[in-house]
Coordinates of all heavy atoms in Angstrom, one line a residue:
K1 N -6.7 5.0 7.8 CA -5.4 5.7 7.8 C -5.5 7.0 8.5 O -6.4 7.2 9.3 CB -5.0 5.9 6.3 CG -4.7 4.6 5.6 CD -3.4 4.7 4.9 CE -3.0 3.3 4.4 NZ -1.6 3.2 4.1
G2 N -4.5 7.9 8.2 CA -4.6 9.2 8.9 C -3.6 9.2 10.1 O -3.4 10.2 10.7
D3 N -2.9 8.1 10.4 CA -2.0 8.0 11.5 C -0.6 7.6 10.9 O 0.1 6.8 11.6 CB -2.5 7.1 12.6 CG -2.7 5.7 12.0 OD1 -2.7 5.5 10.8 OD2 -2.8 4.8 12.9
E4 N -0.2 8.2 9.8 CA 1.0 7.8 9.2 C 2.2 8.2 10.1 O 2.2 9.2 10.7 CB 1.2 8.5 7.8 CG 0.5 7.8 6.7 CD -1.0 7.8 6.8 OE1 -1.5 8.7 7.5 OE2 -1.7 6.9 6.2
P5 N 3.2 7.3 10.1 CA 4.4 7.6 11.0 C 5.2 8.8 10.5 O 5.1 9.1 9.3 CB 5.1 6.3 10.9 CG 4.8 5.7 9.6 CD 3.3 6.1 9.4
F6 N 6.0 9.3 11.4 CA 7.0 10.3 11.0 C 6.4 11.6 10.6 O 7.0 12.5 10.0 CB 8.0 9.9 10.0 CG 8.7 8.6 10.3 CD1 8.3 7.4 9.6 CD2 9.7 8.5 11.2 CE1 9.0 6.2 9.9 CE2 10.3 7.3 11.5 CZ 9.9 6.1 10.9
G7 N 5.1 11.8 10.8 CA 4.4 13.0 10.4 C 4.2 13.1 8.9 O 3.9 14.1 8.3
L8 N 4.3 11.9 8.2 CA 4.0 11.9 6.7 C 2.6 12.0 6.4 O 1.7 11.5 7.2 CB 4.6 10.6 6.1 CG 6.0 10.3 6.3 CD1 6.4 8.9 5.7 CD2 6.9 11.4 5.6
S9 N 2.3 12.7 5.3 CA 0.9 12.7 4.8 C 0.6 11.3 4.2 O 1.5 10.5 4.0 CB 0.7 13.7 3.7 OG 1.4 13.3 2.5
P10 N -0.7 11.0 4.1 CA -1.0 9.7 3.5 C -0.3 9.4 2.1 O 0.2 8.4 1.8 CB -2.5 9.7 3.3 CG -3.0 10.6 4.5 CD -1.9 11.7 4.5
R11 N -0.3 10.5 1.3 CA 0.4 10.3 0.0 C 1.9 10.2 0.1 O 2.5 9.3 -0.6 CB 0.1 11.6 -0.9 CG 0.7 11.5 -2.3 CD 0.2 10.3 -3.1 NE -0.8 10.7 -4.0 CZ -1.5 9.9 -4.7 NH1 -1.3 8.6 -4.7 NH2 -2.4 10.3 -5.5
E12 N 2.5 10.9 1.0 CA 3.9 10.8 1.3 C 4.3 9.4 1.7 O 5.2 8.8 1.3 CB 4.4 11.8 2.3 CG 4.5 13.2 1.7 CD 4.6 14.3 2.8 OE1 4.5 14.0 4.0 OE2 4.8 15.5 2.4
Y13 N 3.4 8.8 2.6 CA 3.7 7.5 3.1 C 3.5 6.5 2.0 O 4.3 5.5 1.9 CB 2.7 7.2 4.3 CG 2.9 5.8 4.9 CD1 4.0 5.6 5.7 CD2 2.1 4.8 4.6 CE1 4.3 4.3 6.2 CE2 2.3 3.5 5.1 CZ 3.4 3.3 5.9 OH 3.6 2.0 6.4
E14 N 2.5 6.7 1.2 CA 2.3 5.8 0.0 C 3.5 5.8 -0.9 O 4.0 4.7 -1.3 CB 1.1 6.3 -0.7 CG 0.5 5.3 -1.8 CD -0.8 5.8 -2.4 OE1 -1.1 7.1 -2.3 OE2 -1.5 5.0 -2.9
I15 N 4.1 6.9 -1.2 CA 5.2 7.0 -2.0 C 6.5 6.4 -1.3 O 7.2 5.7 -1.9 CB 5.5 8.5 -2.4 CG1 4.4 8.9 -3.4 CG2 6.9 8.7 -3.0 CD1 4.4 10.4 -3.8
A16 N 6.6 6.7 -0.1 CA 7.7 6.2 0.7 C 7.7 4.7 0.7 O 8.7 4.0 0.6 CB 7.7 6.7 2.1
S17 N 6.5 4.1 0.9 CA 6.4 2.7 0.9 C 6.8 2.0 -0.4 O 7.5 1.0 -0.4 CB 4.9 2.3 1.2 OG 4.6 2.7 2.5
L18 N 6.4 2.6 -1.5 CA 6.8 2.1 -2.8 C 8.3 2.2 -3.1 O 8.9 1.3 -3.6 CB 6.0 2.9 -4.0 CG 4.5 2.5 -4.0 CD1 3.8 3.5 -4.9 CD2 4.3 1.1 -4.4
V19 N 8.8 3.3 -2.6 CA 10.3 3.5 -2.8 C 11.0 2.5 -1.9 O 12.0 1.9 -2.4 CB 10.7 5.0 -2.3 CG1 12.2 5.1 -2.1 CG2 10.3 6.0 -3.4
A20 N 10.5 2.2 -0.7 CA 11.1 1.2 0.2 C 11.0 -0.2 -0.5 O 11.8 -1.0 -0.2 CB 10.4 1.2 1.5
Q21 N 10.0 -0.4 -1.3 CA 9.9 -1.7 -2.0 C 10.8 -1.8 -3.2 O 10.8 -2.8 -3.9 CB 8.4 -1.9 -2.4 CG 7.4 -2.1 -1.3 CD 6.0 -2.0 -1.8 OE1 5.7 -2.4 -2.9 NE2 5.1 -1.5 -0.9
G22 N 11.5 -0.7 -3.5 CA 12.4 -0.7 -4.6 C 12.0 -0.1 -5.9 O 12.6 -0.2 -6.9
C23 N 10.8 0.6 -5.9 CA 10.3 1.2 -7.1 C 11.1 2.5 -7.4 O 11.5 3.2 -6.5 CB 8.8 1.6 -6.9 SG 7.7 0.2 -6.8
T24 N 11.3 2.7 -8.7 CA 11.9 3.9 -9.2 C 10.9 5.1 -9.1 O 9.7 4.8 -9.0 CB 12.4 3.8 -10.6 OG1 11.3 3.6 -11.5 CG2 13.4 2.7 -10.8
N25 N 11.3 6.3 -9.2 CA 10.4 7.4 -9.3 C 9.4 7.3 -10.4 O 8.2 7.5 -10.3 CB 11.1 8.8 -9.4 CG 11.8 9.1 -8.1 OD1 11.8 8.4 -7.1 ND2 12.5 10.3 -8.1
Q26 N 9.9 6.8 -11.6 CA 9.1 6.6 -12.7 C 8.0 5.5 -12.5 O 6.8 5.7 -12.8 CB 10.0 6.1 -13.9 CG 9.2 5.9 -15.2 CD 8.6 7.2 -15.8 OE1 9.3 8.2 -15.9 NE2 7.3 7.1 -16.1
Q27 N 8.4 4.4 -11.8 CA 7.4 3.4 -11.5 C 6.4 3.9 -10.5 O 5.2 3.6 -10.6 CB 8.2 2.2 -10.9 CG 9.0 1.4 -11.9 CD 9.9 0.4 -11.3 OE1 10.5 0.6 -10.2 NE2 10.2 -0.7 -12.0
V28 N 6.8 4.6 -9.5 CA 5.9 5.2 -8.5 C 4.9 6.1 -9.2 O 3.7 6.0 -9.0 CB 6.6 6.0 -7.4 CG1 5.7 6.7 -6.5 CG2 7.5 5.1 -6.6
A29 N 5.4 7.0 -10.1 CA 4.6 7.9 -10.9 C 3.5 7.1 -11.7 O 2.3 7.5 -11.7 CB 5.4 8.8 -11.8
E30 N 3.9 6.1 -12.3 CA 3.0 5.3 -13.1 C 1.9 4.6 -12.3 O 0.8 4.6 -12.6 CB 3.7 4.2 -14.0 CG 4.6 4.9 -15.1 CD 5.5 3.9 -15.8 OE1 5.5 2.7 -15.5 OE2 6.3 4.4 -16.6
K31 N 2.4 4.0 -11.1 CA 1.4 3.3 -10.3 C 0.4 4.2 -9.7 O -0.8 3.9 -9.5 CB 2.2 2.6 -9.1 CG 2.9 1.4 -9.5 CD 3.7 0.8 -8.3 CE 4.6 -0.3 -8.6 NZ 4.1 -1.6 -8.6
L32 N 0.8 5.5 -9.3 CA -0.1 6.4 -8.6 C -0.7 7.5 -9.6 O -1.4 8.4 -9.1 CB 0.7 7.1 -7.5 CG 1.2 6.1 -6.4 CD1 2.0 6.9 -5.4 CD2 0.2 5.3 -5.8
F33 N -0.4 7.3 -10.9 CA -0.9 8.3 -11.9 C -0.5 9.7 -11.5 O -1.3 10.6 -11.5 CB -2.4 8.2 -12.0 CG -2.9 6.8 -12.3 CD1 -3.4 5.9 -11.3 CD2 -2.8 6.3 -13.6 CE1 -3.8 4.6 -11.6 CE2 -3.2 5.0 -13.9 CZ -3.7 4.2 -13.0
L34 N 0.8 9.9 -11.2 CA 1.4 11.2 -11.0 C 2.5 11.5 -11.9 O 2.9 10.6 -12.6 CB 2.0 11.2 -9.5 CG 1.0 10.9 -8.4 CD1 1.8 10.7 -7.1 CD2 0.0 12.1 -8.2
S35 N 2.9 12.7 -12.0 CA 4.1 13.0 -12.8 C 5.3 12.7 -12.0 O 5.3 12.6 -10.8 CB 4.1 14.5 -13.2 OG 4.4 15.3 -12.1
V36 N 6.4 12.4 -12.7 CA 7.7 12.1 -12.0 C 8.1 13.3 -11.1 O 8.5 13.1 -10.0 CB 8.8 11.8 -13.0 CG1 10.1 11.6 -12.3 CG2 8.5 10.5 -13.7
R37 N 7.8 14.5 -11.6 CA 8.1 15.7 -10.8 C 7.4 15.7 -9.5 O 7.9 16.1 -8.5 CB 7.8 16.9 -11.7 CG 8.2 18.2 -11.0 CD 9.7 18.4 -11.0 NE 10.1 19.6 -10.2 CZ 10.6 19.6 -9.0 NH1 10.8 18.5 -8.4 NH2 10.8 20.7 -8.4
T38 N 6.1 15.4 -9.6 CA 5.3 15.3 -8.3 C 5.9 14.3 -7.4 O 6.0 14.6 -6.1 CB 3.8 15.0 -8.7 OG1 3.3 16.1 -9.5 CG2 3.0 15.0 -7.4
V39 N 6.2 13.1 -7.9 CA 6.8 12.1 -7.0 C 8.1 12.7 -6.4 O 8.3 12.5 -5.2 CB 7.1 10.8 -7.8 CG1 8.0 9.8 -7.0 CG2 5.8 10.2 -8.3
E40 N 8.9 13.3 -7.2 CA 10.2 13.9 -6.6 C 9.9 14.9 -5.5 O 10.6 14.9 -4.5 CB 11.0 14.5 -7.8 CG 11.6 13.5 -8.8 CD 12.1 14.2 -10.0 OE1 12.0 15.4 -10.2 OE2 12.7 13.4 -10.8
T41 N 8.9 15.7 -5.7 CA 8.5 16.7 -4.7 C 8.1 16.1 -3.4 O 8.6 16.5 -2.3 CB 7.4 17.7 -5.3 OG1 7.9 18.3 -6.4 CG2 7.0 18.7 -4.2
H42 N 7.2 15.1 -3.5 CA 6.8 14.4 -2.3 C 8.0 13.7 -1.7 O 8.1 13.7 -0.5 CB 5.8 13.3 -2.7 CG 4.4 13.8 -2.9 ND1 3.7 14.6 -1.9 CD2 3.5 13.8 -4.0 CE1 2.5 14.9 -2.4 NE2 2.4 14.4 -3.6
L43 N 8.9 13.1 -2.5 CA 10.0 12.4 -1.9 C 11.0 13.3 -1.2 O 11.5 12.9 -0.2 CB 10.7 11.6 -3.1 CG 11.4 10.3 -2.7 CD1 10.6 9.4 -1.8 CD2 11.9 9.6 -4.0
S44 N 11.1 14.5 -1.7 CA 12.0 15.4 -1.0 C 11.5 15.8 0.4 O 12.2 15.9 1.3 CB 12.2 16.7 -1.8 OG 11.0 17.5 -1.9
R45 N 10.1 15.9 0.5 CA 9.5 16.1 1.8 C 9.7 14.9 2.7 O 9.9 15.0 3.9 CB 8.0 16.4 1.6 CG 7.8 17.8 1.0 CD 6.3 18.2 1.1 NE 6.0 19.3 0.3 CZ 5.3 19.3 -0.8 NH1 4.7 18.2 -1.1 NH2 5.1 20.4 -1.5
V46 N 9.5 13.7 2.1 CA 9.7 12.4 2.9 C 11.1 12.4 3.4 O 11.3 12.1 4.6 CB 9.4 11.2 2.0 CG1 9.9 9.9 2.7 CG2 8.0 11.1 1.6
F47 N 12.1 12.7 2.6 CA 13.5 12.7 3.1 C 13.7 13.6 4.2 O 14.3 13.3 5.2 CB 14.4 13.2 1.9 CG 14.8 12.1 0.9 CD1 14.0 11.0 0.7 CD2 15.9 12.3 0.1 CE1 14.3 10.0 -0.2 CE2 16.2 11.3 -0.9 CZ 15.4 10.2 -1.0
A48 N 13.1 14.8 4.1 CA 13.2 15.8 5.2 C 12.5 15.4 6.5 O 13.1 15.5 7.6 CB 12.6 17.2 4.7
K49 N 11.3 14.8 6.4 CA 10.6 14.4 7.5 C 11.3 13.2 8.2 O 11.2 13.1 9.4 CB 9.2 14.1 7.2 CG 8.3 15.3 6.9 CD 6.9 15.0 6.5 CE 6.1 16.3 6.3 NZ 4.7 15.9 5.9
L50 N 11.8 12.3 7.4 CA 12.5 11.1 8.0 C 13.9 11.4 8.4 O 14.5 10.6 9.1 CB 12.5 10.0 7.0 CG 11.2 9.4 6.5 CD1 11.4 8.3 5.5 CD2 10.3 9.0 7.6
G51 N 14.5 12.6 8.0 CA 15.8 12.9 8.3 C 16.8 12.0 7.6 O 17.9 11.7 8.2
V52 N 16.5 11.6 6.4 CA 17.4 10.8 5.6 C 17.8 11.5 4.3 O 17.2 12.5 3.9 CB 16.8 9.4 5.2 CG1 16.4 8.7 6.5 CG2 15.5 9.6 4.4
T53 N 18.8 11.0 3.6 CA 19.3 11.6 2.4 C 19.3 10.7 1.2 O 19.8 11.0 0.1 CB 20.7 12.2 2.6 OG1 21.5 11.1 3.0 CG2 20.8 13.2 3.6
S54 N 18.7 9.5 1.4 CA 18.7 8.5 0.3 C 17.5 7.6 0.3 O 16.8 7.6 1.3 CB 20.0 7.6 0.4 OG 19.9 6.8 1.5
R55 N 17.3 6.9 -0.8 CA 16.1 6.0 -0.9 C 16.4 4.8 0.1 O 15.4 4.3 0.7 CB 16.0 5.4 -2.3 CG 15.8 6.5 -3.3 CD 16.0 6.0 -4.7 NE 14.8 5.4 -5.2 CZ 13.8 6.0 -5.7 NH1 13.8 7.3 -5.8 NH2 12.7 5.3 -6.1
V56 N 17.6 4.5 0.3 CA 17.9 3.4 1.3 C 17.5 3.9 2.7 O 17.0 3.1 3.5 CB 19.4 3.0 1.2 CG1 19.8 2.1 2.4 CG2 19.8 2.4 -0.1
G57 N 17.8 5.1 3.0 CA 17.4 5.7 4.3 C 15.9 5.6 4.5 O 15.4 5.3 5.6
V58 N 15.1 5.9 3.4 CA 13.6 5.8 3.5 C 13.2 4.3 3.8 O 12.4 4.1 4.7 CB 13.0 6.2 2.1 CG1 11.5 5.9 2.2 CG2 13.2 7.7 1.9
A59 N 13.8 3.4 3.1 CA 13.5 2.0 3.3 C 13.9 1.6 4.8 O 13.1 0.9 5.4 CB 14.3 1.1 2.3
T60 N 15.0 2.0 5.2 CA 15.5 1.6 6.6 C 14.5 2.2 7.6 O 14.2 1.5 8.5 CB 16.9 2.2 6.8 OG1 17.8 1.6 5.8 CG2 17.4 1.8 8.2
A61 N 14.1 3.4 7.4 CA 13.2 4.1 8.4 C 11.9 3.3 8.4 O 11.3 3.1 9.5 CB 13.0 5.5 8.0
L62 N 11.3 3.0 7.3 CA 10.0 2.3 7.2 C 10.1 0.9 7.8 O 9.2 0.4 8.3 CB 9.5 2.3 5.8 CG 9.1 3.6 5.2 CD1 8.3 3.5 3.9 CD2 8.2 4.4 6.2
N63 N 11.3 0.3 7.6 CA 11.5 -1.1 8.1 C 11.6 -1.1 9.6 O 11.5 -2.2 10.2 CB 12.7 -1.7 7.5 CG 12.5 -2.1 6.0 OD1 11.4 -2.3 5.6 ND2 13.6 -2.2 5.3
T64 N 11.7 0.0 10.3 CA 11.7 0.0 11.7 C 10.3 0.0 12.3 O 10.1 -0.1 13.5 CB 12.5 1.3 12.3 OG1 11.7 2.5 11.9 CG2 13.9 1.4 11.7
L65 N 9.3 0.2 11.4 CA 7.9 0.2 11.9 C 7.4 -1.2 12.2 O 8.0 -2.2 11.7 CB 7.0 0.8 10.8 CG 7.3 2.3 10.5 CD1 6.5 2.7 9.3 CD2 7.1 3.2 11.6
P66 N 6.4 -1.3 13.1 CA 5.8 -2.6 13.4 C 5.4 -3.3 12.1 O 4.9 -2.7 11.2 CB 4.6 -2.3 14.3 CG 4.9 -1.0 14.8 CD 5.8 -0.2 13.8
A67 N 5.6 -4.6 12.0 CA 5.3 -5.4 10.8 C 3.8 -5.4 10.5 O 3.4 -5.5 9.3 CB 5.7 -6.8 10.9
D68 N 2.9 -5.2 11.5 CA 1.5 -5.2 11.2 C 0.9 -3.9 10.8 O -0.3 -3.7 10.8 CB 0.7 -5.7 12.5 CG 0.9 -4.8 13.7 OD1 1.7 -3.9 13.6 OD2 0.2 -5.0 14.7
R69 N 1.8 -3.0 10.5 CA 1.3 -1.6 10.1 C 0.3 -1.6 9.0 O -0.7 -0.8 9.1 CB 2.6 -0.8 9.7 CG 2.3 0.4 9.0 CD 2.4 1.7 9.8 NE 1.9 2.8 9.1 CZ 0.8 3.4 9.4 NH1 0.2 3.2 10.6 NH2 0.3 4.4 8.7
D70 N 0.5 -2.3 8.0 CA -0.4 -2.3 6.8 C -1.5 -3.4 6.9 O -2.2 -3.6 5.9 CB 0.3 -2.4 5.5 CG 1.2 -1.2 5.3 OD1 0.7 -0.1 5.5 OD2 2.4 -1.3 4.8
A71 N -1.6 -4.0 8.0 CA -2.6 -5.1 8.1 C -4.0 -4.6 8.0 O -4.3 -3.4 8.3 CB -2.4 -5.9 9.4

C-alpha cells in the first residue's frame, strides 16, 4: 500500500472503503477498533479530499477506481 488514491492516508482509504460498502460509522468503528468519533474525524477528511459531501459521494468516487485496486 502507500499509494492510496485522492491523497488519502491508508486509514482514510480503509474507512472510505468500508463506507462505500455501506457500513455505518458505528460498524466501521467496531471493525477497526476505533471510536465512532475517530471514524467521524477521518470521514470528514475523506469528504474534503474527495470533494464530496455525502457517503454516497464517497462510494461514487471510490467506484471510479480501477477494479483491480485491491487485488
Side-chain angles (χ1 to χ4, degrees):
K1 291 229 172 200
D3 59 345
E4 279 66 23
F6 307 107
L8 298 177
S9 72
R11 180 61 99 186
E12 288 166 349
Y13 182 74
E14 191 174 21
I15 290 172
S17 295
L18 289 169
V19 165
Q21 293 168 33
C23 292
T24 65
N25 287 0
Q26 181 67 48
Q27 290 168 326
V28 173
E30 290 170 6
K31 284 179 193 268
L32 302 180
F33 304 101
L34 299 170
S35 72
V36 173
R37 183 71 185 106
T38 299
V39 171
E40 290 169 353
T41 300
H42 282 302
L43 208 45
S44 69
R45 290 194 192 110
V46 168
F47 280 20
K49 289 180 179 180
L50 298 183
V52 300
T53 56
S54 70
R55 301 168 82 82
V56 173
V58 172
T60 301
L62 292 188
N63 286 336
T64 65
L65 298 173
D68 63 352
R69 164 100 191 116
D70 292 319

